[in-house]
Amino acid sequence: MDLTQSAARAASDKKAEDIVALDVSAQTPIADVFLLATGSNERQVSSIAEAIEEALLATGVKAIRREGLREGRWALMDFNDLIVHVMHQEDRAYYSLERLWKDCPIVALPADL
């Protein structure tokens, strides 16, 4: 299972909502994929982010940068080719990253997420 799939599965296991992966490789050199997930409150955002980090660490991949885990509003984790955004519902609606990256193709995720 690739990195994006593993991260999406870990988010889903913690009841993340609106899990979307965008292929940003043609638009930016900083990553190949942005994975977006939503938590309903600060505690859940932190829990989702921690679960993703643990799942990817189990595959031998460590985040090179992480921000916002303590605040629980917008956790950002950089795994080099994959950047994960776990956002509170209100922040996700406000920043609307899908709209910002609307020209990017959606990466297929398992249907059971």
Side-chain angles (χ1 to χ4, degrees), residues 12-87:
S12 177
D13 289 348
K14 289 294 180 177
K15 309 295 186 224
E17 298 175 357
D18 301 322
I19 303 170
V20 176
L22 302 172
D23 179 348
V24 296
S25 60
Q27 304 294 325
T28 181
I30 63 171
D32 291 337
V33 176
F34 281 0
L35 180 70
L36 312 173
T38 303
S40 59
N41 58 54
E42 288 84 355
R43 177 178 245 167
Q44 188 185 24
V45 168
S46 296
S47 177
I48 294 165
E50 289 168 6
I52 291 170
E53 193 167 25
E54 288 171 12
L56 297 188
L57 193 56
T59 69
V61 178
K62 185 176 180 179
I64 55 176
R65 277 188 266 324
R66 17 178 285 185
E67 296 181 26
L69 269 72
R70 285 189 188 167
E71 293 83 7
R73 298 293 302 183
W74 183 346
L76 182 131
M77 296 170 292
D78 184 348
F79 295 96
N80 199 23
D81 292 335
L82 171 67
I83 295 181
V84 177
H85 301 267
V86 182
M87 304 173 80

Side-chain angles (χ1 to χ4, degrees), residues 17-22 24 34-38 74 85 87 89 91-106:
E17 298 175 357
D18 301 322
I19 303 170
V20 176
L22 302 172
V24 296
F34 281 0
L35 180 70
L36 312 173
T38 303
W74 183 346
H85 301 267
M87 304 173 80
Q89 288 173 333
D91 294 333
R92 178 122 178 225
Y94 180 79
Y95 289 103
S96 188
L97 294 182
E98 291 95 333
R99 185 179 46 80
L100 237 116
W101 296 96
K102 67 182 177 199
D103 295 334
C104 298
I106 293 175

